[in-house]
Amino acid sequence: MSDNKVSRQKPCHHCKSRSASAPPDTSTIHYEKFWLYRHCSSVQQRDRQAQKAGQLFSGLLAMNVVFLGSAFISSMIFNHVAITLADVWILLSILKVLCLCWIIYYLLGTSRQPHAVLYRDSHAGPIWIRGSVLLFGSFSVLLNMFQIGYSVILIQCKSVVEIVFPSIEILFICTQAFFLWHHSKDCIQVQHNFTRCGLMLTIATNLLLWLLAVTNDTIHMEIESQLREVEQRFAGKAPFSHPYLRNETISCTCPNTTICKVFQKGYILLYPFNTEYCLVCCSVLYVIWKNVGRRISHHHVPHIKPKFKLQGVVFGPLLGTTAVIIGICVFMIYQIQATGSAPNHQVFVMYYSYYIVLLPLMSVGAVIGTIIHALEKRELDTLKNPTRSLDVILLMGAALGQIGMSYFSIVAIVATDPRDLLNSLILSYSVLLIFQNITQNVFIIDGLHRQPFISPGKEEEMKEEQNHEACNQRRVSMLELGQEIRKVSLSYLHSYSHLSWKRRALREISFFLVLCNIILWVMPTFGAHPVFENGLEKSFYGYSTWFAIVNFGLPLGVFYRMHSVGGLLEVYVTA
């Protein structure tokens, strides 16, 4: 496959700053070329076909890498003698080294070419998503440091690969986080095919790292649950055996030292952040991949970017903070009780009761917000937006995790004894969770497709500013500039002090749902897994089957809550 042609024009030193305000010269455009479509008469048609072909071939590359890695990981799970965890680590290390080489080449080569970044997608890489990359990336680095320290302490029964793999992982996380922080908005216009293949290889590597993290976390949870059952049935009963509880888990135990316990507990505590980091990186990389070769029209560039303000909201933060505080108390009580040898029946009643109270409130808020959206006069935003399209896909796809687990629980409860107190609570929880996911998705998706609200005074200022720029020179005195900024600021504050009831209600609902989704993300992320620990579904479906269902649904549910926070913040800002 051949790449695009390079412009002969001299490099422009103000391309990045100019791209946000003025369309670039057509002579700087790098049209894509592909050997299959070299005989197309129209340059624009050849460019479109070459773009589709580049996306197809890079997607095929990612698909083959994911299938190869999945085969390795599956073989490790089902036949741990032929394929070991060290073999999987070696494969992933090779992929990470290749991704590092491409990222470094992009940073030092591709992005610095003349007219490489003529356009930047203002919707891509919002601050909350880039902040999530840095936050989860930092925790993932700490996780790998704990893993290295733990392996060094137990060096007599650990292999060198268990130290080398997390070391490469730290370098990969830091480099990728730097790349995503600075280049998440790029619409690269050179080396299209090579850039697409590099992005898809990085996406595939992150997906495999997520898959490995999920399976390893599953094994740890399985061992803990089985050991708890062994303790419960220890008196007068034969010990329980399981294929994952191999001899090396007994011989290679953590010595009774403080530093070893710190590494062990820190590793368990930080483990969920690694899975979240991989999924967030995949979403950002996918948007960059969609923006390769994209040319944004001058009329599509926003003149105003709404900012996050807490003005005009009272009840949403108050109710949301109350839900968070109560949720933290419930979570702490649950963790103390559930980590014992015999979890108390009352702690499950308390946990599900909290959800049964909170989920209807969230559903009612989402329904009211959707009705207000229908009553609004704001126009729909129909412009092409890869970031918004991805947000919708992720919301719908990630919600399938919790919805699927809920339906499995409903079937198990109805088929056994739905009149029992705990079973009736679980049944109500499952039904309410399905309804809450659906109503919240409708509210978020409808809000994402609405045009940002602009007050009349603000709109007049924008029109005057555009006419002033079109008719006069660029040089403006500092005094005139200060007066213009003061007028715009006063109009902005005036509009916030006179919020309509619709906008105020949307802000209250959005902020309340943000805080609720945060606490519903915290509880399963840090270890509250009653869907597995209550024992109902496990006894109905069998241990292996139910654990496979939980393994699929729980990580998606955690990711759904986190991604919903970002979508709700967008709805709040644009209200």
Side-chain angles (χ1 to χ4, degrees):
M1 68 179 67
S2 61
D3 231 325
N4 52 311
K5 67 180 180 181
V6 180
S7 174
R8 301 292 184 184
Q9 190 171 345
K10 293 182 180 180
C12 174
H13 299 289
H14 304 286
C15 288
K16 288 187 178 181
S17 61
R18 186 186 64 180
S19 61
S21 58
D25 188 3
T26 55
S27 62
T28 64
I29 296 177
H30 295 234
Y31 290 102
E32 294 190 52
K33 297 174 66 176
F34 199 82
W35 62 274
L36 284 175
Y37 308 104
R38 61 183 182 273
H39 297 300
C40 291
S41 57
S42 172
V43 177
Q44 286 78 12
Q45 183 181 3
R46 184 179 61 187
D47 177 75
R48 288 194 298 269
Q49 296 298 329
Q51 184 176 2
K52 294 179 180 179
Q55 292 177 347
L56 173 63
F57 277 90
S58 60
L60 289 174
L61 171 65
M63 183 186 69
N64 282 275
V65 173
V66 169
F67 281 150
L68 175 63
S70 301
F72 263 76
I73 296 174
S74 301
S75 301
M76 176 200 69
I77 295 173
F78 298 110
N79 190 357
H80 54 265
V81 177
I83 301 294
T84 63
L85 182 60
D87 299 327
V88 177
W89 280 345
I90 292 173
L91 173 64
L92 292 178
S93 297
I94 294 173
L95 293 176
K96 284 186 287 188
V97 169
L98 292 176
C99 294
L100 281 172
C101 293
W102 173 78
I103 292 175
I104 293 173
Y105 176 79
Y106 182 92
L107 295 174
L108 301 180
T110 304
S111 62
R112 296 190 178 186
Q113 288 193 14
H115 312 297
V117 186
L118 295 173
Y119 311 89
R120 291 178 67 84
D121 187 357
S122 60
H123 298 283
I127 187 63
W128 72 267
I129 195 77
R130 288 184 293 155
S132 300
V133 170
L134 292 184
L135 177 64
F136 296 143
S138 302
F139 285 130
S140 299
V141 170
L142 288 176
L143 169 71
N144 286 277
M145 289 181 177
F146 286 148
Q147 185 177 358
I148 293 173
Y150 185 72
S151 300
V152 169
I153 292 176
L154 301 175
I155 191 64
Q156 69 277 4
C157 57
K158 298 287 185 179
S159 63
V160 180
V161 180
E162 298 184 53
I163 300 177
V164 175
F165 179 78
S167 302
I168 299 176
E169 177 80 2
I170 291 175
L171 183 60
F172 176 73
I173 291 172
C174 295
T175 308
Q176 182 175 243
F178 178 85
F179 165 70
L180 295 179
W181 179 266
H182 291 281
H183 297 276
S184 59
K185 298 179 180 293
D186 287 1
C187 299
I188 197 70
Q189 302 296 319
V190 297
Q191 298 181 353
H192 304 87
N193 295 327
F194 186 67
T195 302
R196 287 194 184 99
C197 290
L199 287 167
M200 272 297 166
L201 179 64
T202 311
I203 291 175
T205 303
N206 280 280
L207 284 175
L208 292 176
L209 290 172
W210 172 79
L211 181 60
L212 178 63
V214 168
T215 53
N216 273 352
D217 191 35
T218 299
I219 293 173
H220 295 162
M221 291 167 58
E222 187 170 351
I223 292 174
E224 291 178 3
S225 299
Q226 292 290 356
L227 288 176
R228 185 178 300 160
E229 291 184 5
V230 171
E231 293 176 359
Q232 293 175 359
R233 300 184 296 174
F234 181 78
K237 293 188 178 182
F240 186 87
S241 61
H242 195 271
Y244 286 116
L245 298 177
R246 302 193 294 270
N247 293 330
E248 57 263 26
T249 60
I250 300 175
S251 60
C252 192
T253 56
C254 187
N256 192 16
T257 58
T258 304
I259 186 65
C260 186
K261 296 298 182 182
V262 169
F263 286 146
Q264 192 178 47
K265 295 297 181 181
Y267 182 82
I268 295 174
L269 181 65
L270 296 174
Y271 204 92
F273 292 101
N274 192 29
T275 60
E276 299 301 312
Y277 173 77
C278 295
L279 291 177
V280 172
C281 289
C282 286
S283 63
V284 181
L285 289 166
Y286 176 79
V287 173
I288 302 175
W289 177 77
K290 290 290 291 184
N291 281 330
V292 172
R294 183 186 177 197
R295 290 180 285 275
I296 302 175
S297 172
H298 173 57
H299 301 289
H300 293 179
V301 178
H303 297 276
I304 289 269
K305 188 173 182 180
K307 295 183 179 181
F308 181 82
K309 297 286 185 181
L310 282 176
Q311 293 170 321
V313 288
V314 177
F315 299 104
L318 183 62
L319 292 176
T321 304
T322 304
V324 170
I325 294 174
I326 297 175
I328 292 175
C329 296
V330 171
F331 172 72
M332 293 177 65
I333 296 173
Y334 176 85
Q335 285 296 97
I336 294 172
Q337 296 290 333
T339 52
S341 58
N344 192 355
H345 181 272
Q346 296 298 323
V347 75
F348 292 113
V349 174
M350 178 194 64
Y351 186 91
Y352 285 111
S353 300
Y354 171 75
Y355 270 83
I356 289 174
V357 173
L358 184 62
L359 291 176
L361 294 177
M362 297 175 65
S363 300
V364 170
V367 171
I368 295 175
T370 305
I371 295 174
I372 294 175
H373 276 153
L375 297 176
E376 277 190 312
K377 296 181 180 180
R378 284 192 293 164
E379 294 291 334
L380 294 176
D381 187 1
T382 57
L383 297 179
K384 181 180 179 182
N385 189 338
T387 304
R388 183 176 58 206
S389 301
L390 178 64
D391 287 337
V392 173
I393 294 173
L394 291 178
L395 281 172
M396 300 298 294
L400 295 178
Q402 291 182 324
I403 293 176
M405 286 171 48
S406 298
Y407 276 116
F408 277 104
S409 298
I410 292 172
V411 172
I413 294 169
V414 172
T416 52
D417 185 14
R419 290 170 295 182
D420 181 69
L421 175 60
L422 181 59
N423 290 359
S424 61
L425 288 176
I426 298 175
L427 180 62
S428 303
Y429 159 80
S430 302
V431 174
L432 291 172
L433 187 62
I434 294 172
F435 186 70
Q436 192 275 326
N437 276 263
I438 294 174
T439 54
Q440 182 171 272
N441 279 352
V442 173
F443 173 64
I444 295 175
I445 293 172
D446 192 23
L448 292 176
H449 285 82
R450 298 282 175 172
Q451 292 277 9
F453 180 86
I454 302 175
S455 61
K458 187 77 170 177
E459 192 172 358
E460 292 178 2
E461 293 292 338
M462 290 169 56
K463 291 180 179 179
E464 291 179 2
E465 184 180 351
Q466 293 177 14
N467 295 331
H468 185 269
E469 289 182 356
C471 300
N472 300 318
Q473 298 179 353
R474 290 180 175 270
R475 291 179 294 178
V476 182
S477 66
M478 293 300 297
L479 180 60
E480 293 176 351
L481 182 61
Q483 292 175 350
E484 292 294 325
I485 293 175
R486 184 173 178 273
K487 288 171 60 179
V488 172
S489 301
L490 290 175
S491 175
Y492 188 67
L493 294 174
H494 181 268
S495 65
Y496 264 98
S497 61
H498 295 81
L499 285 175
S500 65
W501 70 269
K502 297 177 184 178
R503 294 180 61 203
R504 187 183 297 275
L506 284 176
R507 285 175 171 267
E508 300 279 9
I509 293 170
S510 300
F511 206 95
F512 170 70
L513 291 177
V514 165
L515 294 177
C516 290
N517 278 274
I518 288 175
I519 187 60
L520 295 185
W521 171 81
V522 169
M523 296 174 76
T525 299
F526 290 96
H529 304 132
V531 290
F532 188 78
E533 293 164 345
N534 62 51
L536 172 67
E537 297 91 342
K538 183 172 59 175
S539 61
F540 182 82
Y541 292 104
Y543 191 95
S544 301
T545 303
W546 181 241
F547 213 102
I549 296 172
V550 173
N551 182 33
F552 169 79
L554 191 61
L556 287 180
V558 171
F559 180 74
Y560 171 76
R561 292 301 173 187
M562 188 204 66
H563 197 72
S564 297
V565 171
L568 289 166
L569 287 176
E570 292 285 339
V571 176
Y572 175 87
V573 168
T574 56

